[in-house]
Amino acid sequence: MPQDLDAVAIRAWSALALDALGQAREEIDAINVYPVADADTGTNLYLTMESATRAVDAVFTGLEPAGPTRAEAVRALAHGALIGARGNSGTILAQLLRGMAQVLADDERAPGPAGDAPHADGERLALALRRAAQSAYQAVAHPVEGTVLTVARAAAEAAGAGRPAGQPADDCATVARAAYDGARAALAATPDQLAVLGRAGVVDAGGRGLVAVLGALVGALSGEHVGTRNPAAWNAWTSANSGPRTDGHARVEGAEGADGTAAPAAECAEGADSGPAFEVIYLLEADDDAVARLRTRLDALGDSLVVVGGDGLWNVHVHVDDAGAAVEAGVEAGRPYRIRITHFGLGDAHAVRAAQPPRERAQRGIVAVVRGEGLGGLYAEAGATTVARAGEPPASGELVQAVRRAHAREVVLLPNDAELRHTAAAAAEQARSEGVRVALIPTRSPVQGIAALAVHEPDRRFDEDVVAMTAAAGATRYAELAIAERQSWTTAGICQAGDVLGLIDGDVAVIGTEVPATAEVVLDRMLAAGGEMVTLVLGEEVPDDVAERLQKHVRDGHLAVDTVLYRGGPQSALLLIGVE
């Protein structure tokens, strides 16, 4: 029986969409060639939807037992997507959901005959899809046809014309199915609209993700399971290839990778040789006038500009050569935060490389996520290929690119952050599909990664090396000092803005007012359980006299415990502590 588009249906839609994007993630990553062929569109869409789904679940939990209204649920969906949007595709998806929320939440203001807010009928859903497409086009500085924008518009047009004669006006499921079918047809046509897709033999990756999301909407409203793979679109890009690839990429005739194998389609994007070097993303608190000026300035700095949001909170995405200028523009407009800067790197999708002699792969490599130039240099000296973390965590596509840069048959992956567990697992899975043997060691802090590197021996058997590194990381307790941004409840009590927080193994254990004193308390608590080695990684703002004080504290209070000191450099944490 068809389901009304109420709060429960919105929750079901978000969960089904997340599941659909999870299943399609690798496929979408593999066909990602536009606007940048960085093989992470599927991952970015998944992470964006994951944030949206968490927000919907949270509003249901917070408003138990009555539960949220449709307006509250759909606003949570849109807000979660906005604050968690990743990449170009995720940012556009967030705006699509925001456009729908504007219509669906607004409609609930008018009470029904019994005083209750009405459910959204089919006409209201069609209007929401139309608003979504319009707002997405407005968010993109220079809309291009043959992309997710085209697919969104086709879905909206089909939804508006999709109710057969005699069909009840409140049949949302019929409207959703019409939108889904229209999106599939538009997706199949994208290679004919965008030359880079046609040459690579793929459909638009972002559009493919939107089809999955709309298929989930059909499932939530009708209970019908619709396949998210579009056979026509799939055949459109596989029929041009000389044979199946085992790594999930389309084969492009005449394209050769640096190791002599066929290059993935993602390396053959039109105009890629002149693309900007950095992707910059941040959340921004600013008014409408400031954002309008920001759009103009960022548009002059680079391309792929997408600014989504409203009501004082925005998500800004742009590709530029001068990342600093893009961030400075945000500072002038308001308060940017969760700043994430990604270097596309040499030899990635922006550069179509000339043929080079095959380079022999190393037997084993290390890939590590690091925050701060000092730590990056330390890991690099130990032979690791590093992924710099600045602001937001890296996407799985960035980790996969690092695995490729390591150019090794065997790779040990050190995420160095508990939040990166699923992202690192997705990257490891994709790298394995490309023939690389990958072991993921679930390091939760850079100091655990340092401990793992200390016992790394590339000459011993891979399994033995991984076991030794895992044991060393697991035997290292970790702590971090941070400054509280606002008043909040913590596991150690209530903190105020500006307080120094001492986190041990991820939980707030100490609340202090000064860095040295708080660090000493944290050290004493950690060493109370024993330890032979203390590792201190100091941020750029921590003076040398604090480092000397902490080393002396360990020497005086804990006999036979050695101390090793490193400088994290710019963008590193205030203070990291490891106890082995």
Side-chain angles (χ1 to χ4, degrees):
M1 181 176 180
Q3 166 75 42
D4 291 323
L5 187 53
D6 55 12
V8 173
I10 288 167
R11 188 182 196 183
W13 176 31
S14 67
L16 289 171
L18 182 64
D19 182 66
L21 289 171
Q23 293 183 39
R25 180 187 57 77
E26 289 186 5
E27 171 196 326
I28 297 172
D29 281 345
I31 63 173
N32 172 202
V33 302
Y34 184 86
V36 175
D38 46 1
D40 65 356
T41 290
T43 299
N44 287 338
L45 287 169
Y46 177 84
L47 293 174
T48 302
M49 198 68 217
E50 184 180 45
S51 179
T53 302
R54 283 200 304 264
V56 174
D57 289 342
V59 78
F60 267 84
T61 301
L63 295 176
E64 289 179 344
T69 64
R70 186 186 67 246
E72 290 167 334
V74 76
R75 286 178 184 137
L77 180 77
H79 181 74
L82 175 67
I83 64 174
R86 302 292 293 269
N88 188 73
S89 55
T91 307
I92 293 174
L93 175 61
Q95 188 70 355
L96 289 168
L97 295 176
R98 177 179 172 80
M100 292 188 68
Q102 289 173 335
V103 173
L104 297 176
D106 182 69
D107 179 53
E108 197 170 57
R109 295 175 185 169
D116 297 327
H119 295 302
D121 59 15
E123 292 180 1
R124 178 62 57 174
L125 176 58
L127 177 60
L129 290 167
R130 184 162 70 248
R131 176 75 62 83
Q134 291 170 347
S135 62
Y137 268 91
Q138 292 167 358
V140 177
H142 301 284
V144 175
E145 297 302 328
T147 65
V148 63
L149 297 176
T150 306
V151 176
R153 185 179 61 198
E157 292 173 349
R163 182 166 59 85
Q167 190 73 32
D170 60 351
D171 188 357
C172 292
T174 300
V175 173
R177 181 66 201 226
Y180 171 71
D181 290 340
R184 293 207 325 159
L187 177 66
T190 55
D192 297 327
Q193 296 175 290
L194 196 56
V196 62
L197 300 179
R199 281 200 304 277
V202 298
V203 296
D204 179 66
R208 169 68 182 84
L210 181 57
V211 167
V213 172
L214 291 173
L217 179 60
V218 174
L221 293 174
S222 69
E224 176 186 3
H225 176 74
V226 294
T228 55
R229 173 169 290 180
N230 181 349
W234 189 256
N235 291 335
W237 73 270
T238 56
S239 61
N241 302 323
S242 60
R245 286 285 302 272
T246 59
D247 60 3
H249 290 290
R251 188 182 300 276
V252 181
E253 183 178 357
E256 298 293 325
D259 59 356
T261 60
E267 294 180 2
C268 303
E270 177 185 34
D273 55 332
S274 59
F278 297 95
E279 178 185 58
V280 178
I281 304 174
Y282 49 81
L283 291 177
L284 177 70
E285 294 178 356
D287 60 36
D288 291 358
D289 291 340
V291 170
R293 293 190 296 270
L294 176 66
R295 289 178 190 269
T296 301
R297 181 169 177 184
L298 291 180
D299 192 29
L301 287 176
D303 59 29
S304 296
L305 173 61
V306 185
V307 181
V308 304
D311 301 321
L313 180 62
W314 309 82
N315 191 307
V316 178
H317 169 281
V318 68
H319 295 172
V320 293
D321 282 319
D322 189 345
V327 175
E328 288 173 5
V331 172
E332 292 179 3
R335 187 178 81 89
Y337 59 103
R338 293 193 184 182
I339 300 168
R340 179 168 167 266
I341 301 172
T342 302
H343 193 300
F344 290 118
L346 297 175
D348 69 359
H350 281 316
V352 179
R353 299 184 298 273
Q356 298 176 356
R359 180 165 62 93
E360 182 65 25
R361 287 183 177 272
Q363 181 59 34
R364 190 170 307 160
I366 307 291
V367 171
V369 179
V370 295
R371 185 172 60 180
E373 295 177 4
L375 276 179
L378 176 65
Y379 273 80
E381 288 177 8
T385 299
T386 61
V387 179
R389 173 174 177 173
E392 283 293 282
S396 67
E398 297 170 61
L399 300 186
V400 172
Q401 291 287 358
V403 171
R404 292 170 183 157
R405 292 200 310 272
H407 203 63
R409 298 181 181 90
E410 303 165 339
V411 171
V412 178
L413 182 56
L414 305 174
N416 292 337
D417 190 329
E419 292 183 359
L420 291 178
R421 181 181 59 179
H422 296 299
T423 302
E429 183 180 347
Q430 181 172 337
R432 291 183 190 114
S433 73
E434 298 178 8
V436 181
R437 188 180 183 188
V438 180
L440 170 60
I441 297 179
T443 49
R444 295 170 176 267
S445 168
V447 293
Q448 289 188 322
I450 292 172
L453 280 175
V455 300
H456 168 54
E457 293 184 13
D459 293 333
R460 64 183 163 196
R461 291 178 58 248
F462 184 63
D463 291 338
E464 294 176 355
D465 198 28
V466 170
V467 168
M469 295 177 71
T470 302
T476 302
R477 298 189 66 197
Y478 62 95
E480 177 178 346
L481 262 62
I483 304 299
E485 295 183 356
R486 61 183 63 87
Q487 184 186 60
S488 179
W489 286 92
T490 76
T491 51
I494 301 176
C495 70
Q496 305 296 328
D499 282 349
V500 181
L501 305 180
L503 294 85
I504 300 178
D505 294 335
D507 294 322
V508 177
V510 180
I511 299 175
T513 57
E514 296 180 352
V515 171
T518 306
E520 288 174 348
V521 175
V522 170
L523 281 166
D524 289 341
R525 290 197 183 184
M526 297 178 73
L527 288 169
E532 300 175 353
M533 171 77 74
V534 170
T535 300
L536 300 174
V537 181
L538 281 72
E540 185 178 34
E541 61 271 42
V542 178
D544 291 337
D545 61 334
V546 172
E548 295 170 0
R549 173 174 167 175
L550 296 180
Q551 288 178 304
K552 184 178 185 301
H553 181 80
V554 173
R555 284 196 308 269
D556 294 346
H558 305 277
L559 300 178
V561 176
D562 295 326
T563 305
V564 179
L565 179 68
Y566 301 106
R567 279 288 180 179
Q571 298 183 331
S572 66
L574 180 63
L575 174 64
L576 297 173
I577 301 173
V579 174
E580 303 175 49

